[in-house]
Amino acid sequence: MTSGIHVTSEIGKLKTVMLHRPGKEIENITPDYMERLLFDDIPYLPIAQKEHDYFAQTLRDQGIEVIYFEKLAAEALADEKIRHEFLERMIAESGYIAGATKEALMEYLGSMNVQDMVNKIIEGVRIEDVEIKNPDLQSLSEDTDWPFLMDPMPNAYFTRDPQASIGNGISINRMTFKARQRESLITEYIIKYNERFAGKVPVWRDRNHATHIEGGDELVLSNHVLAIGISQRTTADAIQDIAKNLFKDSDYDTIIAIHIPHNHAMMHLDTVFTMINYDQFTVHPAILDEDGKVDNWVLHPGKDGEITIEHHTDIKEVLKKALNKSEIDLIATGNGDKIIAPREQWNDGSNTLAIAPGEVVTYDRNYVSNDLLRKHGILVHEVRSSELSRGRGGPRCMSCPIVREDID
Ligand SMILES: NC(=O)NCCC[C@H](N)C(=O)O
């Protein structure tokens, strides 16, 4: 076991990764709740789990240590006092700060063994799960059209987003939609109390903010350069805020903020742009204009804690300069075809997980993009994707690197 976090690139040999195996939370999605829960369809859980196990095994077969979010959480919450404090906060963030429902939830979840408690919180608590002994006005007037006292977290298998490993530290994210906001409370406890991380991981930005940032937008291009999407999920002011902290306390001195369309299909930068080698990236053509340009701003530390901001549109030139490369190979999703590119992007054809320079894990269904990657010299490990892809995230979204080897 390696302690702490060490991620100084998107592509350094992956040593340890955090996943979450989808559980019963997936079966708490119905057509009426899909939009609120950020799904477009209902995955078939047994197959989704099989596909996820295949993904985890593909990583293990490459010598990567796989650790699980839900297990790290249970370990972090072993102490009764910490567990009590966590439950109070989790229940408060689920809508019950005080009163009969809060007390009933405390009793119900507090009486479980810690792993069952964590799993149940992720799964969601239904109204009939809990007995409210002395009902109060809040519990009596509860909206019974909504079946949950505590909403399920079906997006928990996208471990990329609630946090992001950057250097030896982490950003614990204030997420945009209510459906995902409580996921990063679990991260907060893992980082604070799991002995693997406790006291060893600087938090570059915590979740106590009104402005939003999500891990799918945070790309670690090198040991001093980040790319961060200005997207549906990450706001420009949150980027400026994390920049201030990173420029002061870390080795990061360059942030390329890339503006992408603000929509569900392209919710994060990593759904349209990923790094797969020292000088190679996947890119969905829809983020570029007809001249291949995209608005981006490069942030650097200025004088007296100020930040300098330069506007650019030529992303190739910006990447060349930031990464000190003479050429950059941008590989178009679906080979840039009008039909294939959006179809494969929708199923995360751009969402590659690099496990070493020039070596990636991708969904098997994006065969045009995968073949193109191979033609560009990339080693591609395909994983199964019929059910997992229904949540709108691919191998990068489903993984949070904890340790990578440094690159030269
Ligand atoms: N990094 C990513 O792009 N993650 C995919 C998240 C999908 C999830 N259904 C969401 O809407 O947040």
Side-chain angles (χ1 to χ4, degrees):
M1 176 181 111
T2 317
S3 282
I5 287 179
H6 188 78
V7 176
T8 56
S9 76
E10 285 291 303
I11 57 171
K13 194 166 171 29
L14 187 58
K15 305 297 285 181
T16 303
V17 69
M18 178 172 74
L19 310 183
H20 166 67
R21 186 176 196 257
K24 287 188 193 150
E25 61 277 5
I26 298 295
E27 301 212 310
N28 275 332
I29 304 170
T30 75
D32 286 347
Y33 314 145
M34 247 164 15
E35 204 181 327
R36 165 168 170 167
L37 295 174
L38 308 173
F39 270 68
D40 299 296
D41 202 349
I42 305 169
Y44 174 37
L45 181 61
I47 304 296
Q49 288 178 326
K50 272 199 185 128
E51 290 177 357
H52 197 271
D53 291 343
Y54 186 90
F55 174 50
Q57 194 53 43
T58 302
L59 298 173
R60 284 191 203 100
D61 289 347
Q62 301 307 313
I64 298 161
E65 179 194 20
V66 174
I67 55 178
Y68 284 94
F69 182 67
E70 61 277 22
K71 293 216 163 56
L72 295 169
E75 287 161 12
L77 299 171
D79 178 87
E80 207 182 316
K81 236 174 95 199
I82 297 168
R83 191 156 70 242
H84 186 87
E85 177 199 286
F86 167 79
L87 268 185
E88 292 239 336
R89 290 185 62 196
M90 181 55 80
I91 292 169
E93 290 197 20
S94 304
Y96 306 99
I97 293 166
T101 310
K102 178 210 158 179
E103 292 313 323
L105 284 166
M106 287 293 294
E107 199 182 315
Y108 172 69
L109 293 167
S111 67
M112 293 179 178
N113 83 49
V114 61
Q115 189 65 68
D116 290 346
M117 180 195 88
V118 169
N119 295 348
K120 186 69 193 168
I121 288 170
I122 296 173
E123 175 188 331
V125 179
R126 289 176 64 157
I127 293 176
E128 60 271 24
D129 287 339
V130 174
E131 191 197 344
I132 300 179
K133 290 190 190 111
N134 301 303
D136 57 9
L137 184 58
Q138 186 186 20
S139 53
L140 289 169
S141 61
E142 191 76 57
D143 172 10
T144 47
D145 287 344
W146 182 249
F148 303 106
L149 291 176
M150 292 175 70
D151 289 5
M153 302 185 198
N155 295 290
Y157 76 91
F158 299 117
T159 51
R160 179 65 63 165
D161 303 319
Q163 64 282 308
S165 304
I166 302 173
N168 290 326
I170 194 163
S171 87
I172 302 180
N173 295 333
R174 165 58 56 185
M175 302 184 76
T176 300
F177 292 114
K178 194 163 170 254
R180 301 206 63 181
Q181 282 171 348
R182 293 167 305 150
E183 291 172 35
S184 63
L185 180 62
I186 301 178
T187 307
E188 186 183 311
Y189 278 79
I190 292 175
I191 295 300
K192 213 160 157 192
Y193 295 114
N194 190 298
E195 63 174 38
R196 193 174 185 120
F197 304 107
K200 298 168 199 146
V201 180
V203 177
W204 306 129
R205 186 175 192 265
D206 65 25
R207 62 194 292 280
N208 305 315
H209 292 271
T211 58
H212 307 135
I213 188 163
E214 300 195 358
D217 282 307
E218 300 173 88
L219 271 58
V220 181
L221 302 190
S222 77
N223 60 3
H224 69 108
V225 182
L226 300 177
I228 307 186
I230 304 174
S231 70
Q232 184 195 59
R233 305 293 179 86
T234 294
T235 54
D237 42 9
I239 299 175
Q240 185 148 340
D241 187 47
I242 198 169
K244 186 184 70 201
N245 301 342
L246 286 164
F247 292 167
K248 184 160 73 65
D249 298 327
S250 79
D251 294 336
Y252 283 85
D253 61 12
T254 305
I255 295 181
I256 308 168
I258 305 177
H259 189 274
I260 62 168
H262 289 32
N263 63 41
H264 179 56
M266 305 182 208
M267 72 199 83
H268 296 121
L269 183 61
D270 71 355
T271 65
V272 288
F273 177 84
T274 54
M275 184 176 192
I276 54 178
N277 205 348
Y278 298 99
D279 53 2
Q280 289 180 297
F281 293 78
T282 65
V283 64
H284 179 41
I287 70 165
L288 305 174
D289 67 18
E290 58 270 23
D291 301 321
K293 304 278 169 64
V294 57
D295 275 322
N296 66 90
W297 290 265
V298 179
L299 280 61
H300 289 299
K303 280 196 200 120
D304 306 323
E306 295 290 302
I307 292 176
T308 65
I309 304 174
E310 304 152 15
H311 178 237
H312 296 269
T313 54
D314 191 334
I315 191 69
K316 258 193 181 189
E317 286 307 314
V318 167
L319 291 169
K320 275 197 228 170
K321 185 167 171 211
L323 300 176
N324 201 16
K325 297 284 166 224
S326 53
E327 224 5 278
I328 292 287
D329 182 18
L330 296 180
I331 305 172
T333 312
N335 207 7
D337 180 87
K338 257 194 200 139
I339 297 290
I340 301 168
R343 185 188 76 225
E344 293 207 344
Q345 188 278 332
W346 177 248
N347 289 311
D348 285 285
S350 311
N351 190 256
T352 56
L353 168 67
I355 57 170
E359 186 172 353
V360 298
V361 177
T362 61
Y363 276 161
D364 54 1
R365 61 190 306 156
N366 299 313
Y367 57 90
V368 177
S369 302
N370 290 342
D371 284 350
L372 191 65
L373 290 174
R374 291 189 179 101
K375 284 190 185 118
H376 283 250
I378 304 294
L379 175 58
V380 180
H381 303 269
E382 295 185 5
V383 296
R384 298 169 189 161
S385 56
S386 294
E387 299 305 309
L388 291 175
S389 62
R390 294 179 201 262
R392 293 280 76 71
R396 189 182 189 275
C397 305
M398 293 192 297
S399 55
C400 175
I402 300 296
V403 180
R404 285 187 187 269
E405 279 178 8
D406 290 335
I407 52 171
D408 334 313

